[in-house]
Amino acid sequence: MNSQTVVITGANSGIGKAAAIRFASEGCHVIMACRDVAKSEPVRQEVIKSAHNGSVELRPVDVSSIPSIEDFCRDFHSRHDTLDILIHNAGYFNHGIKTYQFSADGLELTFATNTFGPHLMTELLLEALGRSEDPRILTANSSNIKHFFDPKRAIEFDNLQGEFHDSRPYTVYKMYGDSKMGLLLLTYKMAEAYRPYGIKVNSIMIPAVKVSRQTLNKLSSYYRLIGPLVQNLNPYSLTPQQMAGIYFHLCTSGDLKEVTGVLFDSRSNILLRGEKHKPLSFFTLIRELWNTRHVPAYASDPENIERMWTLSKKVISRHRQK
């Protein structure tokens, strides 16, 4: 393990921090890709101390910003020849926000962070990943995508730059779920596109996770009140350390060395991909909401996959030319 280089976005808190400690503890060279270097440096020192491994870097990146991602990747290539594991852990979900938020590039902030950013970073690091003997990419998804079991649910492809911010209501919870479905669609497409290079691309559907009081304090007053209650009563709620262990298993297990293009649940089971023309029965749907075994059929629709891939490519290309 101690020859592997790992990039983890959002590695200064929560699951990302726990993952940095876990991978560093196993002897990996960990690159913590974080937005705020000043605030993240004490966390890097904590990772080094906890893991007894000084081979931990901290590099700045704002995954909602195309120029920032480009700078990060140029810096990576100047320092490293090979990348073995890329974990897209960083995400944006701001409870309580009721109006559209935009990135510096003018993109809807949730999609810029959770969908377009990971796609661009992956593309720019492909050369280094291709040099690894066992390159793996893991995208952090969410149980929120289960809302797509509703056959009426769909991504608003025409509103990802806030084109209809004056006429369509904004719901942060829905936008977050749409962005994570978009990330899953890209994960499936990337797995197919990068298969010839031996790069495996998978996703993990993260359930409720116990978060710190510091994180809860960043949420709206309503969620600050119910957050601890939900965390303690939810039997499926996991700790960041437990999720970090799952990250590690999915990215290093020899049993999964040839697995690509799948969505795992928090027990490392591969969820079955639903079929567009085979809707689930009512009772099966109820079971899926409690004990998910399938991916919503929306994610398996080739038209949705191609539309997300084409749009992401177009958006990235347009803003990289500026």
Side-chain angles (χ1 to χ4, degrees), residues 179-191:
S179 72
K180 287 300 185 178
M181 175 53 73
L183 180 61
L184 181 58
L185 295 173
L186 290 179
T187 298
Y188 286 155
K189 182 63 180 183
M190 287 190 290

mmCIF file with all atom_site columns, all heavy atoms in Angstrom, residues 179-191:
data_model
loop_
_atom_site.group_PDB
_atom_site.id
_atom_site.type_symbol
_atom_site.label_atom_id
_atom_site.label_alt_id
_atom_site.label_comp_id
_atom_site.label_asym_id
_atom_site.label_entity_id
_atom_site.label_seq_id
_atom_site.pdbx_PDB_ins_code
_atom_site.Cartn_x
_atom_site.Cartn_y
_atom_site.Cartn_z
_atom_site.occupancy
_atom_site.B_iso_or_equiv
_atom_site.pdbx_formal_charge
_atom_site.auth_seq_id
_atom_site.auth_comp_id
_atom_site.auth_asym_id
_atom_site.auth_atom_id
_atom_site.pdbx_PDB_model_num
ATOM 1   N N   . SER A 1 179 ? -28.081 16.815 -8.616  1.00 0.00 ? 179 SER A N   1
ATOM 2   C CA  . SER A 1 179 ? -26.637 16.873 -8.878  1.00 0.00 ? 179 SER A CA  1
ATOM 3   C C   . SER A 1 179 ? -25.978 15.530 -8.614  1.00 0.00 ? 179 SER A C   1
ATOM 4   O O   . SER A 1 179 ? -25.045 15.132 -9.328  1.00 0.00 ? 179 SER A O   1
ATOM 5   C CB  . SER A 1 179 ? -25.978 17.964 -8.030  1.00 0.00 ? 179 SER A CB  1
ATOM 6   O OG  . SER A 1 179 ? -25.914 17.598 -6.660  1.00 0.00 ? 179 SER A OG  1
ATOM 7   N N   . LYS A 1 180 ? -26.460 14.812 -7.603  1.00 0.00 ? 180 LYS A N   1
ATOM 8   C CA  . LYS A 1 180 ? -25.885 13.502 -7.308  1.00 0.00 ? 180 LYS A CA  1
ATOM 9   C C   . LYS A 1 180 ? -26.313 12.463 -8.345  1.00 0.00 ? 180 LYS A C   1
ATOM 10  O O   . LYS A 1 180 ? -25.543 11.553 -8.681  1.00 0.00 ? 180 LYS A O   1
ATOM 11  C CB  . LYS A 1 180 ? -26.286 13.064 -5.902  1.00 0.00 ? 180 LYS A CB  1
ATOM 12  C CG  . LYS A 1 180 ? -25.550 13.824 -4.797  1.00 0.00 ? 180 LYS A CG  1
ATOM 13  C CD  . LYS A 1 180 ? -24.045 13.637 -4.892  1.00 0.00 ? 180 LYS A CD  1
ATOM 14  C CE  . LYS A 1 180 ? -23.300 14.274 -3.738  1.00 0.00 ? 180 LYS A CE  1
ATOM 15  N NZ  . LYS A 1 180 ? -21.824 14.055 -3.819  1.00 0.00 ? 180 LYS A NZ  1
ATOM 16  N N   . MET A 1 181 ? -27.523 12.600 -8.868  1.00 0.00 ? 181 MET A N   1
ATOM 17  C CA  . MET A 1 181 ? -27.912 11.729 -9.971  1.00 0.00 ? 181 MET A CA  1
ATOM 18  C C   . MET A 1 181 ? -27.061 12.047 -11.196 1.00 0.00 ? 181 MET A C   1
ATOM 19  O O   . MET A 1 181 ? -26.618 11.147 -11.920 1.00 0.00 ? 181 MET A O   1
ATOM 20  C CB  . MET A 1 181 ? -29.400 11.898 -10.291 1.00 0.00 ? 181 MET A CB  1
ATOM 21  C CG  . MET A 1 181 ? -29.870 11.108 -11.518 1.00 0.00 ? 181 MET A CG  1
ATOM 22  S SD  . MET A 1 181 ? -29.474 9.325  -11.481 1.00 0.00 ? 181 MET A SD  1
ATOM 23  C CE  . MET A 1 181 ? -30.658 8.752  -10.254 1.00 0.00 ? 181 MET A CE  1
ATOM 24  N N   . GLY A 1 182 ? -26.816 13.339 -11.428 1.00 0.00 ? 182 GLY A N   1
ATOM 25  C CA  . GLY A 1 182 ? -25.945 13.721 -12.531 1.00 0.00 ? 182 GLY A CA  1
ATOM 26  C C   . GLY A 1 182 ? -24.558 13.123 -12.382 1.00 0.00 ? 182 GLY A C   1
ATOM 27  O O   . GLY A 1 182 ? -23.956 12.654 -13.357 1.00 0.00 ? 182 GLY A O   1
ATOM 28  N N   . LEU A 1 183 ? -24.038 13.112 -11.148 1.00 0.00 ? 183 LEU A N   1
ATOM 29  C CA  . LEU A 1 183 ? -22.726 12.517 -10.893 1.00 0.00 ? 183 LEU A CA  1
ATOM 30  C C   . LEU A 1 183 ? -22.741 11.016 -11.158 1.00 0.00 ? 183 LEU A C   1
ATOM 31  O O   . LEU A 1 183 ? -21.778 10.460 -11.704 1.00 0.00 ? 183 LEU A O   1
ATOM 32  C CB  . LEU A 1 183 ? -22.306 12.792 -9.451  1.00 0.00 ? 183 LEU A CB  1
ATOM 33  C CG  . LEU A 1 183 ? -20.955 12.231 -9.021  1.00 0.00 ? 183 LEU A CG  1
ATOM 34  C CD1 . LEU A 1 183 ? -19.821 12.810 -9.851  1.00 0.00 ? 183 LEU A CD1 1
ATOM 35  C CD2 . LEU A 1 183 ? -20.716 12.495 -7.534  1.00 0.00 ? 183 LEU A CD2 1
ATOM 36  N N   . LEU A 1 184 ? -23.839 10.353 -10.808 1.00 0.00 ? 184 LEU A N   1
ATOM 37  C CA  . LEU A 1 184 ? -23.929 8.917  -11.068 1.00 0.00 ? 184 LEU A CA  1
ATOM 38  C C   . LEU A 1 184 ? -23.974 8.633  -12.565 1.00 0.00 ? 184 LEU A C   1
ATOM 39  O O   . LEU A 1 184 ? -23.324 7.697  -13.053 1.00 0.00 ? 184 LEU A O   1
ATOM 40  C CB  . LEU A 1 184 ? -25.166 8.334  -10.388 1.00 0.00 ? 184 LEU A CB  1
ATOM 41  C CG  . LEU A 1 184 ? -25.384 6.827  -10.559 1.00 0.00 ? 184 LEU A CG  1
ATOM 42  C CD1 . LEU A 1 184 ? -24.180 6.042  -10.042 1.00 0.00 ? 184 LEU A CD1 1
ATOM 43  C CD2 . LEU A 1 184 ? -26.656 6.379  -9.860  1.00 0.00 ? 184 LEU A CD2 1
ATOM 44  N N   . LEU A 1 185 ? -24.720 9.434  -13.316 1.00 0.00 ? 185 LEU A N   1
ATOM 45  C CA  . LEU A 1 185 ? -24.760 9.281  -14.765 1.00 0.00 ? 185 LEU A CA  1
ATOM 46  C C   . LEU A 1 185 ? -23.363 9.436  -15.359 1.00 0.00 ? 185 LEU A C   1
ATOM 47  O O   . LEU A 1 185 ? -22.957 8.663  -16.238 1.00 0.00 ? 185 LEU A O   1
ATOM 48  C CB  . LEU A 1 185 ? -25.708 10.313 -15.379 1.00 0.00 ? 185 LEU A CB  1
ATOM 49  C CG  . LEU A 1 185 ? -27.191 10.193 -15.011 1.00 0.00 ? 185 LEU A CG  1
ATOM 50  C CD1 . LEU A 1 185 ? -27.969 11.394 -15.554 1.00 0.00 ? 185 LEU A CD1 1
ATOM 51  C CD2 . LEU A 1 185 ? -27.795 8.897  -15.531 1.00 0.00 ? 185 LEU A CD2 1
ATOM 52  N N   . LEU A 1 186 ? -22.612 10.416 -14.871 1.00 0.00 ? 186 LEU A N   1
ATOM 53  C CA  . LEU A 1 186 ? -21.241 10.616 -15.352 1.00 0.00 ? 186 LEU A CA  1
ATOM 54  C C   . LEU A 1 186 ? -20.335 9.465  -14.928 1.00 0.00 ? 186 LEU A C   1
ATOM 55  O O   . LEU A 1 186 ? -19.441 9.061  -15.672 1.00 0.00 ? 186 LEU A O   1
ATOM 56  C CB  . LEU A 1 186 ? -20.685 11.934 -14.825 1.00 0.00 ? 186 LEU A CB  1
ATOM 57  C CG  . LEU A 1 186 ? -21.293 13.219 -15.392 1.00 0.00 ? 186 LEU A CG  1
ATOM 58  C CD1 . LEU A 1 186 ? -20.648 14.439 -14.745 1.00 0.00 ? 186 LEU A CD1 1
ATOM 59  C CD2 . LEU A 1 186 ? -21.139 13.284 -16.907 1.00 0.00 ? 186 LEU A CD2 1
ATOM 60  N N   . THR A 1 187 ? -20.570 8.935  -13.732 1.00 0.00 ? 187 THR A N   1
ATOM 61  C CA  . THR A 1 187 ? -19.772 7.798  -13.261 1.00 0.00 ? 187 THR A CA  1
ATOM 62  C C   . THR A 1 187 ? -19.934 6.611  -14.197 1.00 0.00 ? 187 THR A C   1
ATOM 63  O O   . THR A 1 187 ? -18.948 5.955  -14.572 1.00 0.00 ? 187 THR A O   1
ATOM 64  C CB  . THR A 1 187 ? -20.198 7.398  -11.835 1.00 0.00 ? 187 THR A CB  1
ATOM 65  O OG1 . THR A 1 187 ? -19.945 8.489  -10.943 1.00 0.00 ? 187 THR A OG1 1
ATOM 66  C CG2 . THR A 1 187 ? -19.434 6.175  -11.352 1.00 0.00 ? 187 THR A CG2 1
ATOM 67  N N   . TYR A 1 188 ? -21.166 6.326  -14.576 1.00 0.00 ? 188 TYR A N   1
ATOM 68  C CA  . TYR A 1 188 ? -21.408 5.222  -15.512 1.00 0.00 ? 188 TYR A CA  1
ATOM 69  C C   . TYR A 1 188 ? -20.715 5.470  -16.846 1.00 0.00 ? 188 TYR A C   1
ATOM 70  O O   . TYR A 1 188 ? -20.113 4.564  -17.437 1.00 0.00 ? 188 TYR A O   1
ATOM 71  C CB  . TYR A 1 188 ? -22.911 5.050  -15.735 1.00 0.00 ? 188 TYR A CB  1
ATOM 72  C CG  . TYR A 1 188 ? -23.653 4.419  -14.577 1.00 0.00 ? 188 TYR A CG  1
ATOM 73  C CD1 . TYR A 1 188 ? -25.010 4.656  -14.386 1.00 0.00 ? 188 TYR A CD1 1
ATOM 74  C CD2 . TYR A 1 188 ? -23.010 3.578  -13.676 1.00 0.00 ? 188 TYR A CD2 1
ATOM 75  C CE1 . TYR A 1 188 ? -25.713 4.064  -13.332 1.00 0.00 ? 188 TYR A CE1 1
ATOM 76  C CE2 . TYR A 1 188 ? -23.693 2.993  -12.626 1.00 0.00 ? 188 TYR A CE2 1
ATOM 77  C CZ  . TYR A 1 188 ? -25.044 3.243  -12.459 1.00 0.00 ? 188 TYR A CZ  1
ATOM 78  O OH  . TYR A 1 188 ? -25.728 2.662  -11.424 1.00 0.00 ? 188 TYR A OH  1
ATOM 79  N N   . LYS A 1 189 ? -20.800 6.705  -17.335 1.00 0.00 ? 189 LYS A N   1
ATOM 80  C CA  . LYS A 1 189 ? -20.198 7.022  -18.629 1.00 0.00 ? 189 LYS A CA  1
ATOM 81  C C   . LYS A 1 189 ? -18.675 7.001  -18.548 1.00 0.00 ? 189 LYS A C   1
ATOM 82  O O   . LYS A 1 189 ? -18.006 6.491  -19.472 1.00 0.00 ? 189 LYS A O   1
ATOM 83  C CB  . LYS A 1 189 ? -20.674 8.395  -19.101 1.00 0.00 ? 189 LYS A CB  1
ATOM 84  C CG  . LYS A 1 189 ? -20.140 8.800  -20.474 1.00 0.00 ? 189 LYS A CG  1
ATOM 85  C CD  . LYS A 1 189 ? -20.624 7.855  -21.562 1.00 0.00 ? 189 LYS A CD  1
ATOM 86  C CE  . LYS A 1 189 ? -20.095 8.275  -22.921 1.00 0.00 ? 189 LYS A CE  1
ATOM 87  N NZ  . LYS A 1 189 ? -20.608 7.415  -24.012 1.00 0.00 ? 189 LYS A NZ  1
ATOM 88  N N   . MET A 1 190 ? -18.115 7.527  -17.465 1.00 0.00 ? 190 MET A N   1
ATOM 89  C CA  . MET A 1 190 ? -16.657 7.515  -17.322 1.00 0.00 ? 190 MET A CA  1
ATOM 90  C C   . MET A 1 190 ? -16.135 6.089  -17.235 1.00 0.00 ? 190 MET A C   1
ATOM 91  O O   . MET A 1 190 ? -15.067 5.770  -17.784 1.00 0.00 ? 190 MET A O   1
ATOM 92  C CB  . MET A 1 190 ? -16.245 8.325  -16.093 1.00 0.00 ? 190 MET A CB  1
ATOM 93  C CG  . MET A 1 190 ? -16.392 9.828  -16.270 1.00 0.00 ? 190 MET A CG  1
ATOM 94  S SD  . MET A 1 190 ? -15.636 10.827 -14.943 1.00 0.00 ? 190 MET A SD  1
ATOM 95  C CE  . MET A 1 190 ? -16.742 10.469 -13.571 1.00 0.00 ? 190 MET A CE  1
ATOM 96  N N   . ALA A 1 191 ? -16.852 5.221  -16.542 1.00 0.00 ? 191 ALA A N   1
ATOM 97  C CA  . ALA A 1 191 ? -16.428 3.822  -16.439 1.00 0.00 ? 191 ALA A CA  1
ATOM 98  C C   . ALA A 1 191 ? -16.320 3.199  -17.828 1.00 0.00 ? 191 ALA A C   1
ATOM 99  O O   . ALA A 1 191 ? -15.371 2.458  -18.125 1.00 0.00 ? 191 ALA A O   1
ATOM 100 C CB  . ALA A 1 191 ? -17.418 3.040  -15.582 1.00 0.00 ? 191 ALA A CB  1
#
